[in-house]
Amino acid sequence: MEKLLQWAVNNSDKEQLQKTAEAIRRGEQKPDPKKFDPEIIEAILGKDDATRMKEAVQCIVDPEDTVENKEIALDNLELLVEGIDNAKNIENMKLWPDILSQLDADEPAVRKGVAWVCGTAVQNNLEAQRAFLRNNGLEPLVTLLKNEKNKEVRAKVQYAISGFLKHFPEGVEAFKKLDGFRVLVDIVKAAEDPAIRRKVVFSLNSLMIENDSLAAYLASMGIVEDLDAIIARYTKQEEDEDMVEKALRTLHTLTTQTKTVLSEQTKKDIVEARDKYGAENLGLDKNEWNDLLL
């Protein structure tokens, strides 16, 4: 308590105290151990982000720690790597290998949390995307996307893959080599979980817009027929306007980029969807409807 009081006395200027504290937190200034006890400073300012990240990773790789503690550590780490600089520092601090090692953890909660951390770290962050690829993070994600049974884990894996691929042509090529797009097309074809199917359809549309050559690659896998099946199913068997809208939008992107002429059956399914939900509700303008139906 005496040391804490001494801190207050030595920094009685509140404005200066705030500036000093902020400078220490940013790493621009180090506390003078002759004036301040480092433990007191840490108690007042809190640990810096690098220390918190390192401690979180130490927790999640500790086989003796509890799943509950690991979940808390992963939540904290995910919040920290929302910052672009912190996400870059995963590589600088050599934390990627330990983080990625937990993608095959026994506990679904840990696998989910790690995938979430990966997705947040690489999102809109080219340097982090490249570091993730260098550390061989993509292959275990593709394996999980293909084999994971837990819906919550699969959702976070899809989130991570989408973030990794976005605005990253090098990552798209690496994903192709791992046959990752085949896994995504299989999800479009057969997934019984509407949530992940919806996300994959939306993601494929975004990726085709960014990568012109991707549409032909996906068409060669038969995705036109798969999108038609989605439109028909969620018009005739189940009602899901949003799913139909996303499938139509993705089908339009694919057909316009590849100059594909749709079959008469597919056109019939599209017309039925338009008549059921209303053209104005399905996100396509007059010209786009004509692109699909003429």
Side-chain angles (χ1 to χ4, degrees), residues 108 111 143-155 157 193 196:
R111 297 197 300 275
T143 299
L144 278 176
L145 186 67
K146 184 177 181 180
N147 300 324
E148 179 62 56
K149 303 302 181 184
N150 184 286
K151 290 182 179 181
E152 292 184 356
V153 177
R154 281 170 64 89
V157 169
D193 180 3
I196 192 168

Side-chain angles (χ1 to χ4, degrees), residues 60 70-79 109-110 113-114 117:
I60 66 173
K70 292 182 180 184
E71 287 185 89
I72 294 170
L74 285 163
D75 284 345
N76 291 338
L77 184 58
E78 194 273 334
L79 286 172
V110 175
V114 172
V117 167

Side-chain angles (χ1 to χ4, degrees), residues 133 138 164-165 168-177 181:
L133 184 59
L138 185 57
F164 171 78
L165 295 175
F168 188 33
E170 185 181 349
V172 171
E173 289 304 311
F175 193 61
K176 277 185 181 180
K177 290 178 181 178
F181 285 105

Side-chain angles (χ1 to χ4, degrees), residues 28 33-34 45 103 138 173 195 207 216-217 256 270 282:
E28 297 171 359
K34 295 178 181 178
L45 299 180
L103 282 172
L138 185 57
E173 289 304 311
L207 289 168
Y217 182 69
T256 53
I270 291 171
L282 290 174

Side-chain angles (χ1 to χ4, degrees), residues 39 56 65 69 74 94 139 150 159 165 181 188 215 254 262:
E39 292 184 2
D65 218 326
N69 283 344
L74 285 163
K94 304 187 186 307
E139 187 168 358
N150 184 286
Y159 164 74
L165 295 175
F181 285 105
V188 172
L254 188 146
L262 298 175

Side-chain angles (χ1 to χ4, degrees), residues 9-67:
V9 171
N10 290 338
N11 296 273
S12 56
D13 184 334
K14 292 184 178 180
E15 183 177 350
Q16 183 59 43
L17 173 60
Q18 182 177 0
K19 290 180 180 179
T20 301
E22 290 175 352
I24 292 172
R25 180 178 288 279
R26 292 193 300 268
E28 297 171 359
Q29 179 177 332
K30 292 186 177 181
D32 184 351
K34 295 178 181 178
K35 293 177 64 178
F36 314 124
D37 186 321
E39 292 184 2
I40 296 295
I41 294 171
E42 184 175 286
I44 295 173
L45 299 180
K47 297 176 181 178
D48 61 75
D49 286 356
T51 299
R52 293 164 65 197
M53 289 169 63
K54 185 179 295 185
E55 290 181 351
V57 174
Q58 288 172 345
C59 173
I60 66 173
V61 300
D62 185 351
E64 302 301 321
D65 218 326
T66 66
V67 174

Side-chain angles (χ1 to χ4, degrees), residues 36-260:
F36 314 124
D37 186 321
E39 292 184 2
I40 296 295
I41 294 171
E42 184 175 286
I44 295 173
L45 299 180
K47 297 176 181 178
D48 61 75
D49 286 356
T51 299
R52 293 164 65 197
M53 289 169 63
K54 185 179 295 185
E55 290 181 351
V57 174
Q58 288 172 345
C59 173
I60 66 173
V61 300
D62 185 351
E64 302 301 321
D65 218 326
T66 66
V67 174
E68 182 180 4
N69 283 344
K70 292 182 180 184
E71 287 185 89
I72 294 170
L74 285 163
D75 284 345
N76 291 338
L77 184 58
E78 194 273 334
L79 286 172
L80 286 165
V81 300
E82 284 182 355
I84 291 177
D85 290 337
N86 283 342
K88 292 177 181 178
N89 279 337
I90 297 176
E91 172 74 348
N92 298 335
M93 297 168 64
K94 304 187 186 307
L95 296 178
W96 274 123
D98 281 342
I99 293 171
L100 295 171
S101 72
Q102 297 306 300
L103 282 172
D104 64 354
D106 292 336
E107 305 86 357
V110 175
R111 297 197 300 275
K112 180 183 78 170
V114 172
W116 195 3
V117 167
C118 292
T120 299
V122 301
Q123 200 167 52
N124 299 315
N125 191 330
L126 181 59
E127 191 172 322
Q129 287 169 314
R130 287 173 172 164
F132 186 82
L133 184 59
R134 284 196 303 271
N135 282 275
N136 301 312
L138 185 57
E139 187 168 358
L141 281 183
V142 173
T143 299
L144 278 176
L145 186 67
K146 184 177 181 180
N147 300 324
E148 179 62 56
K149 303 302 181 184
N150 184 286
K151 290 182 179 181
E152 292 184 356
V153 177
R154 281 170 64 89
K156 292 305 181 187
V157 169
Q158 171 58 25
Y159 164 74
I161 288 175
S162 295
F164 171 78
L165 295 175
K166 190 174 182 180
H167 306 311
F168 188 33
E170 185 181 349
V172 171
E173 289 304 311
F175 193 61
K176 277 185 181 180
K177 290 178 181 178
L178 292 172
D179 212 16
F181 285 105
R182 168 56 64 189
V183 180
L184 292 180
V185 170
D186 286 344
I187 290 173
V188 172
K189 184 192 299 288
E192 289 304 316
D193 180 3
I196 192 168
R197 174 180 266 175
R198 189 190 323 274
K199 290 175 182 176
V200 169
V201 170
F202 178 82
S203 178
L204 289 176
N205 183 57
S206 299
L207 289 168
M208 283 191 291
I209 292 171
E210 294 175 13
N211 303 271
D212 292 341
S213 63
L214 186 56
Y217 182 69
L218 293 173
S220 71
M221 297 181 185
I223 197 172
V224 171
E225 292 77 11
D226 298 332
L227 291 169
D228 178 24
I230 288 176
I231 293 166
R233 173 175 176 173
Y234 292 99
T235 298
K236 301 173 185 178
Q237 301 173 30
E238 304 174 48
E239 188 168 319
D240 192 330
E241 181 180 309
D242 182 64
M243 182 81 82
V244 171
E245 179 184 351
K246 285 180 169 55
L248 284 168
R249 172 58 60 192
T250 303
L251 187 60
H252 179 267
T253 299
L254 188 146
T255 55
T256 53
Q257 289 189 359
T258 60
K259 310 301 181 186
T260 298

